[in-house]
């Protein structure tokens, strides 16, 4: 089963690469400046005044929704998987024996 998922991901990655190349060619042909690719839910490293950091967003999410697996967190919050992994390394988060993440006792 896992090999099927890996194969599907490889196919998707190939299509994405071909679409990016097509976009580049079209932009060059019509003289359109290239924009840096930025994900819709990508945030700057530091939050602006009045905005929450990703760790604060994750803290609030777990406080409201209770323990969740890493996959559930990514799916339900829309926070990129790499960002979730980075945030979960913080001491304010802990992992249950069932693999679900929760707020550490002192949070």
């Amino acid at each position: 089963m896992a090999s099927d998922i890996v194969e599907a991901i490889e196919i998707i990655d190939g299509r994405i690469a071909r679409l990016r190349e097509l976009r580049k060619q079209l932009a060059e042909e019509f003289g359109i400046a290239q924009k840096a690719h930025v994900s819709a839910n990508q945030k700057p490293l530091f939050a602006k005044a009045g905005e929450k950091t990703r760790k604060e967003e994750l803290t609030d999410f777990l406080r409201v929704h209770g323990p969740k697996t890493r996959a559930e967190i990514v799916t339900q919050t829309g926070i990129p998987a790499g960002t979730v992994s980075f945030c979960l390394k913080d001491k304010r988060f802990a992992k249950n024996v069932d693999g679900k993440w929760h707020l550490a006792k002192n949070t």
Side-chain angles (χ1 to χ4, degrees):
M1 174 101 172
S3 64
D4 293 340
I5 300 299
V6 170
E7 184 177 338
I9 290 171
E10 289 173 354
I11 290 169
I12 291 168
D13 287 343
R15 289 182 181 171
I16 289 169
R18 287 190 298 278
L19 285 169
R20 284 191 176 138
E21 182 59 31
L22 179 59
R23 182 193 184 288
K24 178 183 169 193
Q25 290 172 358
L26 283 170
E28 287 173 358
E29 184 174 335
F30 292 98
I32 300 170
Q34 292 280 342
K35 293 182 182 178
H37 175 73
V38 177
S39 174
N41 57 1
Q42 184 175 346
K43 285 189 166 186
L45 184 58
F46 300 101
K48 295 178 185 176
E51 291 183 3
K52 291 184 179 184
T53 65
R54 289 297 199 184
K55 288 180 185 178
E56 291 169 334
E57 288 178 10
L58 186 52
T59 299
D60 291 346
F61 173 78
L62 291 174
R63 187 173 285 125
V64 171
H65 299 283
K68 298 286 182 183
T69 64
R70 186 183 308 257
E72 290 170 332
I73 293 168
V74 170
T75 302
Q76 294 175 20
T77 64
I79 298 173
T83 303
V84 170
S85 294
F86 174 78
C87 290
L88 290 175
K89 293 177 185 177
D90 191 280
K91 63 184 177 185
R92 71 183 91 180
F93 307 108
K95 191 175 184 181
N96 291 337
V97 293
D98 63 356
K100 292 187 177 185
W101 290 88
H102 62 93
L103 297 177
K105 298 269 189 238
N106 56 359
T107 305

